[in-house]
Amino acid sequence: MGAGTDPTGPASGEPASSEPGEDTFADILATAGEHLAELTPAEIDVWTSSALAVWREPGDGDPDPVDRRFLRYLDASESAEAATLAASARRLLAARPEPAPDGALSLITARADGRSIALGFCSGTEAAHSLLVDVDDAGLLRDVQAGPGLEQLVEGFEDTAVGVEEIDVAAAAASIAEGWRRAVAAGVEPTETQVSNDALARARLAAAGHRDLPRPGAPAPVESARDPEADAAAVATLATALPASELTVDEARTAGAAGRLVRWDDPPPLRRAELEALASLEWADWLGAVIGVVREGVGAPVTPAGLVDHVNRCPEVTTSIPKRDRPWFEHAFAVVLEQWRELGVVDADDRLTVTGERTLPAALRQAWG
C-alpha cells in the first residue's frame, strides 16, 4: 500500500485528499509502542488525545470523518498498541459520562489577568488526573493542559508561591465550559497544548454535563511574505556572492523543492508550527545561511546553530540575529535542516552534499525570482 491509502477503504462521502494517511499512522503507532506499556489508564487517555491531535492536523475543521478513519486504521492493525489506542479513542470520542469530576481547585498565583482552575477526576486512585485550565479576566479560556490528580497537584505546589483553594466542582466545570464558548466566539486561536488535549477535555467536560462545545474556527493560513524590492535586492546580492550554475534536471527539481521552503503560494506539506517557523525566516536569514554553508563547501557540517552563525557572520548581510532570539532561529533552521536532509541537500550526517552545494543558491533564486 502507498502512503495515504486506507487499509479498509474510504467511507462513502468522506474526503481522502485532505486527510492524513498511512505514514502518519505508522509514526503514531511506532511512538505508541515505545510509551504506552508504561502508562496508567489515565495517562493513556492523555496520550491518545495527543495522538488524535497529530492525526487530525492535516484535516479540515470537522474532525469527525478523520477520527472515524483513524479508528478504522486502528481496527485493521493487529498490534497490541493499536488495540489500546482504539479502546481509549472510543472512550474519548463517545464522551461517556465517566469519569465525572470529583474535585476542583482555584490556583492562586500572582497573575492579574485571570485565574487558573484545576478540575480533578478519579481522586485517590491510580487513574487520578486533572484538567488545568487558564481563563483570562474577560472570561475567555486561554489554555488547557492535562495534569496529575488534585492531591499530587497540591503536593507539587508546596513550598511555591502558588496557593490552592477548594471550589465547587459544578461551578468550576461551568466556568471552564463558558470560557471555552467565549473563546471560540471571540476567535481566540487555541494553544498547542489545548489542541493536544482537545479530545480529553471534551470528554471530561461532557461527563460534567457540558457537551457539544464549539470548535474553534480554522486558523488563518500561514503565508510567506512577499516584498518585490527586497526579493530583487536579495537576488542581486546572491548573484555577486555565488555565481549561478547550470543544473541537471534532477538538480533543478531539488532546487525547486528547496525553494518552496523559502517562498510558497501553496504551503509545503508540513505541520502548522513548522510552517510558522519557516515563515519567520526573512531573506537575510536565508541569504546568510546559504552563502555561509555553500562557501564552506561539500562535506561542511550543517547544524541549526551553525546556520545562525553563518547569518551573523555573512559579510553580505548587514543584520544579525540577537542572542535573545537565537533559540527561536535555531528551531526554525532545525525545520529547514530536516527538509534538506530529505532532499539530499545534506547527507545522513548533516554534511553538505554536492547536490546541496549546487542547488541551494538556485533554490533562493527560484524563490525570489
Side-chain angles (χ1 to χ4, degrees):
M1 293 180 289
T5 59
D6 186 339
T8 61
S12 176
E14 292 182 14
S17 60
S18 64
E19 295 185 357
E22 188 173 296
D23 290 345
T24 303
F25 178 75
D27 290 342
I28 290 173
L29 210 58
T31 308
E34 298 174 2
H35 298 286
L36 287 190
E38 306 169 358
L39 303 183
T40 67
E43 290 170 336
I44 288 173
D45 280 353
V46 174
W47 202 97
T48 302
S49 181
S50 179
L52 279 166
V54 171
W55 176 259
R56 291 168 174 175
E57 195 274 340
D60 59 19
D62 179 11
D64 291 343
V66 185
D67 292 346
R68 289 196 293 271
R69 194 163 185 245
F70 186 44
L71 289 173
R72 293 201 305 275
Y73 266 87
L74 291 172
D75 292 341
S77 173
E78 298 180 356
S79 73
E81 294 82 15
T84 300
L85 281 175
S88 177
R90 284 191 165 89
R91 285 197 302 272
L92 296 179
L93 297 175
R96 296 174 183 170
E98 55 186 19
D102 52 20
L105 300 173
S106 177
L107 306 182
I108 304 167
T109 69
R111 287 180 57 195
D113 59 347
R115 64 178 182 143
S116 298
I117 301 170
L119 196 62
F121 304 83
C122 306
S123 297
T125 72
E126 185 188 35
H129 59 288
S130 62
L131 293 178
L132 306 178
V133 181
D134 290 337
V135 179
D136 68 17
D137 55 5
L140 278 63
L141 185 146
R142 291 294 180 175
D143 196 21
V144 177
Q145 300 185 45
L150 295 187
E151 292 180 5
Q152 186 178 350
L153 195 65
V154 171
E155 292 175 0
F157 286 134
E158 291 179 355
D159 302 323
T160 73
V162 177
V164 295
E165 178 182 289
E166 290 190 19
I167 56 177
D168 181 75
V169 175
S175 293
I176 294 170
E178 179 61 19
W180 187 307
R181 294 187 178 94
R182 289 187 180 184
V184 172
V188 176
E189 186 172 334
T191 64
E192 288 189 19
T193 51
Q194 186 177 344
V195 170
S196 180
N197 292 304
D198 178 80
L200 177 76
R202 287 177 183 278
R204 298 301 186 255
L205 289 171
H210 301 281
R211 293 180 174 273
D212 301 322
L213 292 170
R215 298 191 181 277
V222 181
E223 299 178 344
S224 54
R226 289 186 175 274
D227 184 337
E229 291 185 6
D231 290 350
V235 170
T237 301
L238 184 65
T240 302
L242 300 173
S245 301
E246 187 163 343
L247 304 181
T248 66
V249 172
D250 287 341
E251 288 172 340
R253 189 178 298 114
T254 298
R260 285 195 69 208
L261 302 176
V262 182
R263 170 70 52 72
W264 62 81
D265 294 317
D266 294 320
L270 300 175
R271 294 179 183 173
R272 182 178 180 85
E274 294 172 326
L275 289 174
E276 289 174 344
L278 292 179
S280 71
L281 295 173
E282 299 180 353
W283 66 268
D285 304 316
W286 286 107
L287 201 59
V290 168
I291 289 175
V293 73
V294 170
R295 278 178 173 162
E296 284 200 338
V298 175
V302 184
T303 66
L307 292 172
V308 172
D309 289 339
H310 285 313
V311 175
N312 287 342
R313 297 170 184 170
C314 182
E316 286 84 1
V317 174
T318 57
T319 59
S320 62
I321 295 172
K323 184 177 181 180
R324 67 178 181 277
D325 295 335
R326 188 179 182 100
W328 170 259
F329 282 90
E330 288 188 7
H331 161 67
F333 279 125
V335 175
V336 172
L337 182 56
E338 183 177 355
Q339 298 305 308
W340 281 359
R341 196 180 302 120
E342 292 186 7
L343 293 172
V345 169
V346 297
D347 61 21
D349 296 320
D350 289 341
R351 293 184 176 276
L352 185 68
T353 63
V354 173
T355 297
E357 182 186 48
R358 289 176 55 79
T359 60
L360 284 180
L364 299 186
R365 291 187 182 91
Q366 289 190 33
W368 296 328

